[in-house]
Amino acid sequence: MRTPLSVVIGAGGTGGHIYPGLALAEALRRADPDAVISFIGTERGLETTLIPAAGYRLHTVDMIPFDPALGAKRFLLPAALLRSGAQARSVLRRQQAQVVVGMGGYPSAPAIVGAKMAGLPSVIHESNAVPGRANQFAARLTEHLTVAFDGSRAHLSGGERALTVGMPIAASLAALDRPALRAEARRAFGIPEGARVVLFNGGSLGAARLTAAAVGLAARWRDRTDVHLLIKTGPAALAETRRKLVDAGVGAAAQGEARQQPTDAASGPVAQAVPYLDRMDLAYAVADLVVCRAGSATIAELATTGVPAVLVPYPHAPGDHQTHNARVLSEAGAAHLVPDAETTADRLAELIDPLLADPARLAVMGRAADPGNHARAADLLAETVIRLAGQPTNTREFTS
């Protein structure tokens, strides 16, 4: 009788590491419905809510960020790695893990350290164009490396042997047919008939800079009926954003939670604020243009779904990796790159107005991105994981 596949995935901190890990878990379940899949993370990040909500078990370890801003506390990092690595090793033994995957971010490093301690095979996936500190460290502990973008190889120890698999994204986005879903999406968000939609998506927790610019843009366009702004704020900023929209005369006095349910609304305010988007397929289907940060998962989703974008890289990302990510699309002509400090309502209006007035130009931008392997990335990474676990697959050997 075959031993059930058991995989432990290290992922945490932000959605940019967690969502690709969940996409991998989804692909592993497609390949082997009996697979036992669990995650290692910490008590600090979004993993504490996102992973259990997706139906997977989360094991937590004590780990601190790979962050120079910690000051003197950074000298505690070696001890923290050893302690959390030992905790991870205990998790791997309890789970009878056969292979370990590190998706990047400081919560994933203990999983790779634990695999080394336990003598288990491991593989890391680097999602950014410029690798983060955790994966730069973890790459020295495993011979199996995968990347989302070819350019990451030069920044990883042993990067010449890395396999470019793309960025794992949810199956609902990998197979998204925007035109086919558009009518449903417009009903779900209550978009007025004939209005073009600009989606503001600041990442897992929202982005104050993008939200402020969106509110200013809504005030500027308060009398327009041909445009609608859908603003994802993150839960913490929702009430304040809605208040500002009402004060500006552009928000409904009592907006409910994110609808994402069919509605017969044919008219409404020029903008709506929602705390989160649990159906990104609907969000991308309804959007004519996205204004967003430039995390690697977002870049992969935009490239795959063909949504034109204005990218505003987070200026404090380690190694300025979001700017490097953004250039993947901006240099292809699929997006405009705007520095965070320049992201104001006036600047966005100057850029977005001509785009909304020229559907043909938006269509060209949507076709300009190279989707690469992103739509297949979760399955490609899953095949690698299954092979390292010593189980058969239907694809080629792990090579660079």
Side-chain angles (χ1 to χ4, degrees), residues 125-158:
H125 180 270
E126 176 49 54
S127 58
N128 289 300
V130 176
R133 298 182 187 94
N135 268 352
Q136 288 175 347
F137 165 78
R140 293 174 169 82
L141 301 181
T142 177
E143 58 187 79
H144 304 296
L145 313 176
T146 63
V147 296
F149 305 105
D150 281 329
S152 300
R153 296 166 177 263
H155 303 279
L156 281 174
S157 175

Side-chain angles (χ1 to χ4, degrees), residues 107-272:
S108 74
I112 301 300
V113 173
K116 189 73 171 178
M117 290 178 171
L120 291 173
S122 64
V123 57
I124 67 169
H125 180 270
E126 176 49 54
S127 58
N128 289 300
V130 176
R133 298 182 187 94
N135 268 352
Q136 288 175 347
F137 165 78
R140 293 174 169 82
L141 301 181
T142 177
E143 58 187 79
H144 304 296
L145 313 176
T146 63
V147 296
F149 305 105
D150 281 329
S152 300
R153 296 166 177 263
H155 303 279
L156 281 174
S157 175
E160 68 280 354
R161 65 175 181 270
L163 178 68
T164 301
V165 298
M167 182 69 170
I169 61 176
S172 61
L173 299 181
L176 179 61
D177 184 337
R178 291 177 63 218
L181 196 59
R182 194 169 181 84
E184 177 186 345
R186 292 183 73 88
R187 290 193 301 270
F189 289 106
I191 304 301
E193 189 67 30
R196 290 194 170 275
V197 179
V198 181
L199 168 64
F200 281 79
N201 183 9
S204 306
L205 299 175
R209 176 78 71 177
L210 298 191
T211 299
V215 171
L217 198 58
R220 182 187 182 112
W221 289 345
R222 67 167 59 90
D223 297 324
R224 292 181 63 168
T225 59
D226 64 330
V227 65
H228 188 89
L229 307 183
L230 176 59
I231 310 165
K232 191 188 84 170
T233 66
L238 178 66
E240 179 69 7
T241 302
R242 286 180 171 170
R243 183 189 66 76
K244 289 179 177 178
L245 288 172
V246 171
D247 290 347
V250 294
Q255 293 186 24
E257 291 297 309
R259 281 190 290 262
Q260 299 195 68
Q261 297 294 330
T263 174
D264 294 327
S267 63
V270 73
Q272 61 173 301

Side-chain angles (χ1 to χ4, degrees), residues 56-75:
Y56 298 98
R57 183 174 180 181
L58 173 67
H59 307 272
T60 59
V61 297
D62 301 321
M63 184 55 190
I64 62 176
F66 286 69
D67 189 352
L70 287 174
K73 287 186 178 180
R74 70 184 184 278
F75 297 113

